[in-house]
Amino acid sequence: MIELKTYQRNAVNELKQRLVQLLGYDEHRQRLVLKAPTGSGKTVVASTAMDELTRELAAGAADCNYSSVAWVGLAPHQLHPQSYRSMRNFVCETRSLRPIWFDEAEVSEGLRPGEVLFLNWESVNKDNNLLIRDNEQNRTLGALLQKTREERPVVAVIDEEHMFAGRNAEKSERLLREVIKPKIELRISATPTSRSDYQVTIRREEVIGEEMIKKGVQLNPGVRSDTEQHALTVNQRLLQRALRKRDELAAAWQEYGINPLLLVQLPNDTKEALGDDERKIAEEVRTYLADPAIDITEENGRLAVWLSKEKSPNLADIIHPDDPTRVLLFKQAIALGWDCPRAAVLLIYRDLKSLVFTTQTVGRILRMPQQHFYTDYRLNYGYVYTNLSADMVQVSQDDMGYLGTVFANRREGLQNIDLRSVYMDHHQQRNRLGSGFRKLLADVIKERLNTAQTSLDLSNDDTEWTRQESEQATLFDEDVRHNRTLAHKRRLNLDVRNIFVELPKDMRLTGADGEVEVVEKARIAINVGEMRAALERYCREHVGSFGKYDSAPILQGALLDAMENLFGIPETEAPKVILYNHAPYNNRGFFEDAIAGALARYRNTLRQTATTKAYSQERFAIPATRPYNSAVVHPAEDIFNHALKPYFEQNNASKPERDFARWIDQRTEWVDWWYKNGDEGKQHFAIPYTGSDGGQRCFYVDFIVRLKNGTICLFDTKTLGSEEDTPEKNNALWKYVEEHNAKGKKMTGGVLVQLGENWYYPAGFIDDDKNTDGWSRLDLATL
């Protein structure tokens, strides 16, 4: 079962809340917008919200007058089969939604609860479409939805809704108004064009924070001004640069089994067919790639083509991380709904006219292949090469940060270092059950089965039970048979035929106040759907202090797994056994006790994990490339000896930082190189320290200096009394220095304070930083 990220769970909850709110209003065609960046999993978010709302409406758990809704999924171009497959894969676990095509729908009955009708927007948007046009059988989309609306409201889920604007807007509006007539339109896009008072937004920063997408994009890296004539065309030189970047990334990704993909996009004039200019560029690209020195062709499987009238056979496997395809040549179709996380470099040729499409296309290289960041900076960014003129490179405000990244590169021949570093993950531990809970629950159930047996006499039905078990003996292995025997002795009934609800029977009420005794009750067996809803409620009620919506599906899955693995009871029958509570058996009590025990163990596991994994051990070296946000840094042209070039200085750098950077930069007689460290993240150098409040933290030392004699200096610039934890930081740093010196390394460091023209550091442990009495003047010649 898919475990949602925090931002996904928040979006799901907000979507459900808004949908219920809009269902309560009398208006129709109410718009609800889901704005989510590419790579955030908006299909998962929408599907989860639809799935959970469907179940909650059926169970009466939602504050709504409706017990069900009908879903109609609309997608542009050929994206609807992909949306259908994505939802099909998603709901195979929950089974509360059933994706269908129009041919599978029963027009006379309308859409049933849980059915999701998938439609291709372009096909139903044509006036002569068979789904729209009247026919003798009256089997039309309008007839199907009219019948549906008599029973339940229609919610239209419009994927990539920005594609329905522009020249299609008038027809789209008419189809929604005259045929579909939804009560709610859930419009989904990374770049929505619809306006609404009701919008759920997933922020790009949240997705980056969960390491689902890359930190940013570098535009035309390594491309320099060149006024000399070349045998290669501009297009070929850009392709050459893009290929070099792909090869560079391939070497870095090799240890992870990932072969990065270069996307080459031909000019797009909103037509899928190639024009003369596009054909020339396509041929130019193929010819260049076919050069024996490069050897990238369709024949050897290293080139794939995705055009309207030409599609390579190797497209089927191109999304696999280790697929041998290196370059994909495409035009328009790939930009919509295509998911290939190994895509890392994008080359865009000129004449793109839709700026939003540019944003959508750039999104193809933003997914993280393994949904986590890497120590190597280069793998956490995407790379775009383009011959678009500067005044054409515009992206929406939400995407501006992606093209605002600048990079500094390590100096050639630099004598690198290898330092022990630490990192502390500040992501809050989610209050939810994880996949490890399944084994815990199974272990607790087995333990409870093997504890002291009940003294209750069940001999009256032992004979019948033995007969039934004998008949089923061939169905189970020895362990399952043993568990079933223990379960019987523990007052568990594993052969429940039905679960009943007891309702008052034949009662007469006068309307007067007071209590009336129920004399007779009727027992009514609940159906499969009700059984499933009852188990879901049961799980929500028994997850303890863990989040109900996140944890209940995990608990339910753990219970169903345990029932099948321990007792041989299939998923369809398990809810009846779990929920059975009829004397003399004690099914419910047994499972509630087991759940409580497993929850307690899981909490202990989380506490131990939080304690033992506070710090992760890392290694630090000067990176080959380091990205900077161009909005907060500027190139310092008076700095020459920094380990990376160019040197980007923070706009808000403190005066001690600025002054020491220039002081150390001028000491080239003793200094091999120096490096300004970052202040967060595992990619930067940090040591562990305990603050004055007792909290464990990471201390990111400002400056790393390598002297020509091999001594490593670790300094952090301060002003006296400027920070409460200065003594704790200095002492942790000095301890780090002593540990390394004890192993034969040459190292020094500490907090650093400027007095006049000189810099002073404690060169030992300190109790406070009120003054510099006893501190040493920094003299590089003596280190």
Side-chain angles (χ1 to χ4, degrees):
M1 184 171 290
I2 296 175
E3 291 192 21
L4 300 182
K5 303 292 185 181
T6 300
Y7 71 84
Q8 292 174 329
R9 168 45 59 192
N10 293 337
V12 167
N13 291 342
E14 189 176 355
L15 271 180
K16 291 193 298 182
Q17 178 185 355
R18 292 297 189 188
L19 285 167
V20 170
Q21 180 183 359
L22 295 176
L23 285 171
Y25 296 154
D26 293 331
E27 292 88 348
H28 286 73
R29 302 229 22 229
Q30 303 170 95
R31 290 184 176 182
L32 171 59
V33 176
L34 172 59
K35 181 179 181 181
T38 300
S40 61
K42 51 183 178 289
T43 301
V44 170
V45 169
S47 298
T48 302
M50 293 163 63
D51 170 66
E52 292 183 2
L53 183 60
T54 296
R55 288 186 278 123
E56 290 168 14
L57 290 174
D63 185 16
C64 183
N65 293 329
Y66 298 101
S67 61
S68 65
V69 299
W71 306 98
V72 177
L74 296 158
H77 297 300
Q78 294 303 311
L79 188 59
H80 68 300
Q82 177 179 312
S83 300
Y84 174 90
R85 289 191 298 270
S86 297
M87 180 169 286
R88 197 76 166 176
N89 293 335
F90 172 82
V91 302
C92 68
E93 296 182 8
T94 63
R95 297 185 175 86
S96 60
L97 297 179
R98 178 174 173 253
I100 63 171
W101 302 116
F102 180 81
D103 291 340
E104 298 174 270
E106 292 292 336
V107 174
S108 60
E109 297 180 16
L111 294 177
R112 302 184 183 98
E115 287 186 339
V116 185
L117 174 65
F118 276 86
L119 300 172
N120 172 265
W121 187 262
E122 274 70 22
S123 62
V124 298
N125 215 11
K126 297 177 181 177
D127 294 334
N128 62 347
N129 185 269
L130 294 177
L131 300 186
I132 307 300
R133 195 174 59 197
D134 290 338
N135 54 63
E136 294 180 359
Q137 296 81 22
N138 195 30
R139 186 174 177 78
T140 66
L141 178 62
L144 171 65
L145 295 179
Q146 180 178 344
K147 183 62 179 178
T148 302
R149 287 190 297 271
E150 294 174 5
E151 301 294 332
R152 55 193 58 88
V154 173
V155 176
V157 182
I158 306 174
D159 198 9
E160 303 293 353
E161 73 90 37
H162 63 276
M163 296 296 294
F164 303 144
R167 58 192 177 90
N168 294 320
E170 183 176 348
K171 285 187 176 181
S172 303
E173 172 65 20
R174 187 171 71 249
L175 181 65
L176 286 165
R177 182 181 65 248
E178 299 177 2
V179 180
I180 300 177
K181 302 178 184 178
K183 185 172 183 65
I184 301 173
E185 297 171 15
L186 174 55
R187 294 173 168 257
I188 306 171
S189 176
T191 54
T193 58
S194 298
R195 294 185 178 274
S196 173
D197 293 332
Y198 306 97
Q199 178 166 305
V200 176
T201 301
I202 295 176
R203 297 181 60 83
R204 189 178 302 282
E205 294 81 3
E206 296 175 303
V207 188
I208 294 174
E210 291 282 4
E211 303 184 0
M212 293 283 284
I213 60 177
K214 295 185 176 74
K215 293 182 177 182
V217 166
Q218 185 178 7
L219 182 64
N220 285 342
V223 175
R224 299 289 180 265
S225 298
D226 191 347
T227 58
E228 299 295 325
Q229 291 186 352
H230 288 265
L232 298 179
T233 66
V234 173
N235 288 343
Q236 291 170 338
R237 275 182 279 172
L238 281 173
L239 180 56
Q240 182 185 61
R241 286 284 185 180
L243 281 171
R244 287 176 181 173
K245 177 59 69 174
R246 193 219 74 87
D247 293 343
E248 173 189 339
L249 298 177
W253 249 319
Q254 186 174 8
E255 65 178 290
Y256 303 104
I258 296 172
N259 183 32
L261 183 66
L262 164 62
L263 309 180
V264 179
Q265 185 189 22
L266 297 174
N268 169 50
D269 59 358
T270 72
K271 296 179 181 178
E272 293 189 11
L274 294 182
D276 291 339
D277 292 339
E278 293 163 319
R279 274 192 288 271
K280 291 178 181 178
I281 295 176
E283 187 57 32
E284 185 178 18
V285 169
R286 290 179 195 259
T287 301
Y288 181 86
L289 295 176
D291 185 285
I294 300 172
D295 196 25
I296 296 178
T297 66
E298 288 185 85
E299 288 73 18
N300 62 22
R302 295 175 181 172
L303 172 65
V305 176
W306 189 341
L307 301 173
S308 59
K309 296 182 179 180
E310 181 182 0
K311 292 179 175 61
S312 302
N314 55 339
L315 286 174
D317 297 322
I318 198 170
I319 64 173
H320 296 163
D322 58 350
D323 181 80
T325 307
R326 299 180 184 180
V327 179
L328 172 62
L329 180 65
F330 74 103
K331 188 180 176 185
Q332 181 181 21
I334 191 178
L336 197 61
W338 187 68
D339 183 5
C340 182
R342 73 182 183 95
V345 185
L346 171 65
L347 170 56
I348 307 175
Y349 286 120
R350 70 171 70 246
D351 292 333
L352 281 172
K353 292 187 172 65
S354 170
L355 300 178
V356 173
F357 180 82
T358 301
T359 301
Q360 293 282 329
T361 305
V362 170
R364 299 303 122 208
I365 62 169
L366 295 182
R367 299 178 190 271
M368 291 303 297
Q370 296 171 313
Q371 297 186 355
H372 66 77
F373 291 154
Y374 301 89
T375 303
D376 191 329
Y377 277 123
R378 296 170 296 175
L379 305 185
N380 300 330
Y381 288 80
Y383 302 87
V384 176
Y385 293 82
T386 180
N387 62 350
L388 291 169
S389 57
D391 60 342
M392 289 184 65
V393 182
Q394 300 178 36
V395 291
S396 65
Q397 185 63 40
D398 287 348
D399 297 306
M400 285 298 290
Y402 272 114
L403 299 180
T405 302
V406 291
F407 289 71
N409 299 311
R410 188 173 61 212
R411 287 159 38 183
E412 291 187 10
L414 180 135
Q415 182 70 44
N416 215 327
I417 57 175
D418 180 21
L419 298 179
R420 188 183 77 242
S421 181
V422 299
Y423 173 68
M424 180 179 288
D425 190 349
H426 291 287
H427 288 159
Q428 291 185 349
Q429 201 167 46
R430 298 172 187 159
N431 183 35
R432 55 185 280 180
L433 297 178
S435 57
F437 179 75
R438 296 194 178 206
K439 184 178 184 303
L440 282 179
L441 180 61
D443 290 344
V444 172
I445 290 176
K446 285 188 286 187
E447 291 173 10
R448 297 293 196 271
L449 288 175
N450 285 282
T451 55
Q453 308 302 316
T454 178
S455 59
L456 183 66
D457 183 11
L458 295 175
S459 57
N460 289 338
D461 56 34
D462 269 351
T463 301
E464 176 62 19
W465 177 82
T466 302
R467 183 188 65 79
Q468 292 175 354
E469 289 296 299
S470 297
E471 292 176 353
Q472 301 179 36
T474 57
L475 301 179
F476 308 123
D477 60 29
E478 184 176 346
D479 289 340
V480 170
R481 289 199 300 273
H482 177 66
N483 291 336
R484 290 177 70 90
T485 300
L486 293 176
H488 178 68
K489 295 178 179 180
R490 290 287 293 162
R491 293 188 294 163
L492 297 183
N493 184 359
L494 303 184
D495 296 295
V496 180
R497 296 293 181 262
N498 288 298
I499 292 290
F500 299 90
V501 293
E502 294 186 337
L503 304 178
K505 176 184 177 183
D506 297 333
M507 288 189 62
R508 292 186 179 182
L509 302 177
T510 63
D513 293 341
E515 297 180 350
V516 179
E517 181 182 1
V518 176
V519 179
E520 292 185 88
K521 293 181 179 179
R523 299 176 70 226
I524 302 176
I526 62 178
N527 62 28
V528 175
E530 292 170 319
M531 189 84 66
R532 185 170 59 239
L535 181 61
E536 291 169 356
R537 288 195 300 271
Y538 176 85
C539 291
R540 284 198 295 268
E541 293 167 359
H542 290 88
V543 292
S545 60
F546 292 95
K548 288 182 170 31
Y549 285 103
D550 282 335
S551 301
I554 303 297
L555 172 56
Q556 181 174 337
L559 283 169
L560 296 177
D561 277 0
M563 297 304 292
E564 182 165 2
N565 295 332
L566 297 180
F567 305 117
I569 299 174
E571 179 180 329
T572 54
E573 301 297 317
K576 294 185 287 190
V577 177
I578 297 169
L579 300 175
Y580 190 76
N581 194 36
H582 190 69
Y585 298 100
N586 186 35
N587 290 29
R588 275 206 184 202
F590 175 86
F591 288 111
E592 287 173 9
D593 176 62
I595 291 169
L599 289 175
R601 291 189 188 182
Y602 191 76
R603 289 190 199 93
N604 290 334
T605 300
L606 291 182
R607 281 194 290 267
Q608 293 170 7
T609 302
T611 300
T612 59
K613 294 187 178 180
Y615 289 111
S616 63
Q617 299 300 317
E618 308 291 338
R619 305 300 301 183
F620 174 80
I622 302 301
T625 304
R626 177 176 169 182
Y628 295 84
N629 185 343
S630 62
V632 298
V633 298
H634 63 274
E637 297 181 358
D638 58 341
I639 295 296
F640 303 97
N641 201 30
H642 189 253
L644 303 182
K645 288 186 175 295
Y647 173 57
F648 292 106
E649 189 169 58
Q650 295 287 327
N651 296 336
N652 62 350
S654 67
K655 186 177 186 301
E657 287 179 355
R658 296 195 305 270
D659 290 347
F660 183 72
R662 282 145 185 85
W663 186 89
I664 197 71
D665 194 69
Q666 296 170 9
R667 268 63 182 176
T668 54
E669 182 180 352
W670 301 282
V671 176
D672 184 13
W673 53 259
W674 63 274
Y675 178 74
K676 178 62 178 70
N677 192 33
D679 56 9
E680 65 177 0
K682 67 173 63 177
Q683 69 272 28
H684 298 304
F685 172 71
I687 64 171
Y689 83 100
T690 302
S692 56
D693 60 356
Q696 290 183 311
R697 298 181 180 87
C698 291
F699 173 24
Y700 290 88
V701 183
D702 283 337
F703 292 90
I704 302 171
V705 182
R706 186 185 188 279
L707 302 184
K708 291 184 176 179
N709 64 8
T711 299
I712 302 299
C713 306
L714 306 173
F715 291 120
D716 197 78
T717 55
K718 301 289 183 186
T719 56
L720 290 176
S722 63
E723 189 176 327
E724 184 177 2
D725 279 352
T726 293
E728 287 76 13
K729 290 182 175 180
N730 177 83
N731 295 342
L733 181 52
W734 189 251
K735 178 183 176 182
Y736 181 92
V737 167
E738 286 189 327
E739 290 174 350
H740 282 71
N741 287 337
K743 296 178 181 179
K745 296 187 177 182
K746 298 171 64 177
M747 185 177 289
T748 191
V751 295
L752 198 62
V753 173
Q754 185 178 25
L755 295 177
E757 297 297 321
N758 296 314
W759 294 86
Y760 293 83
Y761 68 108
F765 298 105
I766 59 175
D767 295 323
D768 60 62
D769 65 333
K770 296 179 181 178
N771 56 62
T772 58
D773 293 348
W775 290 24
S776 299
R777 181 176 67 85
L778 179 57
D779 184 359
L780 300 177
T782 63
L783 294 180

